[in-house]
Amino acid sequence: MKIKSIKQVKNLRGKKVLLRCDFSVSIKNHQIVDDFKIVQSLPTIRYLINKGAKVIIVTHLGRPTVDKPKTSNKLQITNNNEYTVKPIIVRLNKLLNKKVKYLEYFLDNNTKDVINAMKDREILMLENIRYYPGEEKNDNKFAKKLANLADIYVNNAMAVSHRAHASVSAIQKFLPSYAGLLLEKEVTHLHKVLKPKKPLVVIIGGAKIETKVPVIKNLAKIADIIFIGGMISYDFLAALKLSTGKYEVKKEDKRLAKKILSKKIILPIDFVIAGNKNGTGKARVVAVDEIPKNSYQLDIGPETIRFYTKHIKQAKTIIWNGPMGMFENKKFKTGTLSIARVVASVSQGKSFGVVGGGETVVALKQTQMLDYVDFVSTGGGAMLAYLAGRKMPGLRKIVK
Ligand code: ADP
Ligand code: MG
């Protein structure tokens, strides 16, 4: 594998660099809840600045709804304030100790003046790129207009690299394209685990089996063992004709689970159950084949934790995505946090540990051991896509 890295560009002084970041952080009451993704991008931004580049940052933020567009290039902000990048700019100013300029709209005539007025080492951030209907349509004309702002394109947004969007994919037709330091790191590490030191232990939990099946399928080719947990356990239980309690498994999901069942795929031995979906009521532990009709499984049980962790400790490579239970509720966090602690504690030295997924990373953080893990992906769905062996539109011209 070869990555076209930003480090290969010889002379960045005075170059206008369009830097696609994923700064789609969650914001509550105009406050950033967690700036992990922003912090992860700082080395790339600093690198570009130190080389004397002019940096134009592009990001999306959430999923704004855009009114029916008349033309695909018109900016039509509806729920504008909720999805503005302004709080990100404030945070970036602070983190970099440097002023970051803001451009609300980049398709009108004075944009050229703003760009031309940029000095070396300056940073300008465009408003939420998903406010422009052309973005999610991967519109060529729109991508070209975006490309016209800069001399080179740098993708640093692993988390959207599985999407065919204009600022991720189409843009690469119009500008020489490179990987930012973060994207380079992500791809290098994920590539490494696809050629793992054995044994490779994979732990997959969470929800939405349809997003996890391609990953399980692809990793089953190289993994020694795949441990299942979380909501997706239901689908496998149903495939094995075991009780799923009050939870109704969709036919389609059961079929998906059934198709990939194999000796390598290991289900929990026991569960923590409760009578309500939201976890209220008395919690107790039952064996895998004893989930009562009037209950939900909300975490893996102690036998499962013991069994899974024993194998995780023997692994040379570990991939973990998806919580083992409803860890947001403290009664059902033990499984997830136990797995998190073991993965973290055998990482860096004993084993090569890779963890990814929105909620999974939140859980890992709760252990205060995130830094112990060899690689924590900011990729989420994109990490899953990569591990599933899918073609990534955002890497097309960058990774060979
Ligand atoms: P990630 O974002 O890390 O890929 P997912 O989005 O697939 O993870 O799933 C995370 C969610 O699944 C969490 O919010 C967690 O509460 C929920 N979850 C996991 N296991 C269970 C369970 N047994 N019952 C209910 N919810 C669960
Ligand atoms: Mg999630």
Side-chain angles (χ1 to χ4, degrees):
M1 184 192 58
K2 279 211 177 93
I3 303 176
K4 262 176 73 192
S5 162
I6 186 66
K7 285 184 276 181
Q8 292 158 14
V9 182
K10 292 255 161 56
N11 188 6
L12 281 164
R13 166 143 313 142
K15 288 240 169 72
K16 286 173 283 182
V17 176
L18 193 81
L19 178 66
R20 178 54 159 106
C21 293
D22 171 16
F23 289 160
S24 190
V25 293
S26 87
I27 293 179
K28 286 200 181 112
N29 305 323
H30 305 286
Q31 291 295 312
I32 293 173
V33 179
D34 178 54
D35 63 2
F36 182 66
K37 287 176 164 182
I38 303 175
V39 171
Q40 292 291 307
S41 241
L42 295 177
T44 308
I45 298 171
R46 289 202 182 100
Y47 179 88
L48 292 170
I49 294 299
N50 289 339
K51 296 279 177 189
K54 301 167 181 171
V55 183
I56 303 163
I57 298 179
V58 175
T59 184
H60 70 287
L61 177 62
R63 295 203 167 122
T65 47
V66 183
D67 269 348
K68 269 186 233 115
K70 291 189 194 80
T71 76
S72 68
N73 291 326
K74 257 214 171 129
L75 182 61
Q76 282 164 351
I77 302 173
T78 47
N79 40 9
N80 44 4
N81 279 329
E82 198 180 335
Y83 294 105
T84 176
V85 298
K86 283 178 187 164
I88 300 172
I89 294 187
V90 172
R91 183 61 61 96
L92 257 186
N93 278 333
K94 232 190 226 151
L95 289 167
L96 291 165
N97 195 18
K98 190 173 168 64
K99 175 138 182 64
V100 175
K101 290 187 176 164
Y102 167 70
L103 185 60
E104 185 172 21
Y105 185 62
F106 79 86
L107 293 171
D108 56 17
N109 294 331
N110 63 19
T111 303
K112 237 195 185 141
D113 300 338
V114 175
I115 301 289
N116 287 338
M118 277 181 84
K119 300 193 188 79
D120 293 1
R121 298 171 207 276
E122 255 183 19
I123 306 173
L124 173 75
M125 186 146 159
L126 304 190
E127 185 48 281
N128 192 346
I129 198 74
R130 286 195 186 160
Y131 281 161
Y132 300 85
E135 167 66 0
E136 292 191 61
K137 291 192 184 140
N138 204 22
D139 184 280
N140 272 323
K141 272 196 218 142
F142 175 70
K144 195 157 182 204
K145 290 207 169 125
L146 193 57
N148 282 341
L149 303 180
D151 303 310
I152 65 171
Y153 169 73
V154 174
N155 183 2
N156 213 30
M158 182 65 179
V160 282
S161 290
H162 60 320
R163 307 234 183 260
H165 289 175
S167 70
V168 179
S169 178
I171 184 115
Q172 299 191 19
K173 292 185 203 163
F174 306 108
L175 283 177
S177 304
Y178 299 90
L181 304 180
L182 177 61
L183 186 88
E184 186 181 2
K185 192 166 101 180
E186 294 260 358
V187 173
T188 307
H189 282 110
L190 293 179
H191 180 76
K192 188 168 163 184
V193 294
L194 288 180
K195 300 209 167 18
K197 269 204 187 139
K198 307 269 268 171
L200 164 63
V201 172
V202 175
I203 309 130
I204 305 273
K208 287 172 291 183
I209 186 139
E210 69 279 6
T211 65
K212 314 273 168 156
V213 161
V215 184
I216 297 174
K217 243 188 190 162
N218 203 38
L219 292 180
K221 294 181 208 154
I222 50 173
D224 294 273
I225 200 159
I226 299 178
F227 291 127
I228 303 293
M231 289 275 274
I232 64 169
S233 305
Y234 282 125
D235 306 312
F236 290 97
L237 293 176
L240 291 168
K241 297 202 169 82
L242 292 171
S243 162
T244 58
K246 242 191 221 173
Y247 184 86
E248 276 181 46
V249 174
K250 284 192 235 137
K251 261 199 190 134
E252 178 53 27
D253 293 346
K254 177 171 133 184
R255 205 175 312 136
L256 279 175
K258 200 168 178 179
K259 252 196 205 154
I260 57 165
L261 269 177
S262 77
K263 268 195 293 197
K264 277 185 187 173
I265 295 179
I266 309 294
L267 288 189
I269 304 163
D270 55 356
F271 290 106
V272 184
I273 60 158
N276 291 304
K277 212 171 19 201
N278 57 12
T280 54
K282 203 172 140 38
R284 65 187 177 97
V285 176
V286 299
V288 57
D289 53 357
E290 286 173 358
I291 298 179
K293 283 214 159 35
N294 60 357
S295 67
Y296 291 90
Q297 63 87 4
L298 295 159
D299 195 6
I300 55 174
E303 287 295 337
T304 311
I305 294 173
R306 204 170 302 149
F307 183 67
Y308 284 9
T309 53
K310 186 177 127 201
H311 284 272
I312 293 168
K313 283 182 193 161
Q314 289 159 8
K316 284 273 181 293
T317 310
I318 305 165
I319 301 174
W320 175 33
N321 164 258
M324 298 288 99
M326 200 173 70
F327 74 96
E328 293 90 344
N329 180 329
K330 67 174 188 292
K331 282 196 293 191
F332 308 104
K333 69 176 187 184
T334 311
T336 304
L337 295 196
S338 303
I339 297 298
R341 287 195 186 98
V342 172
V343 172
S345 62
V346 298
S347 286
Q348 292 194 9
K350 221 171 161 277
S351 181
F352 186 78
V354 172
V355 176
E359 274 82 26
T360 311
V361 174
V362 172
L364 176 61
K365 268 199 178 152
Q366 286 185 14
T367 66
Q368 317 276 336
M369 292 171 85
L370 182 132
D371 291 338
Y372 297 5
V373 176
D374 292 283
F375 184 61
V376 179
S377 174
T378 57
M383 173 181 107
L384 297 181
Y386 191 91
L387 293 178
R390 257 177 59 195
K391 284 229 161 67
M392 309 278 286
L395 305 181
R396 211 166 23 115
K397 299 260 173 121
I398 296 172
V399 180
K400 287 274 140 73

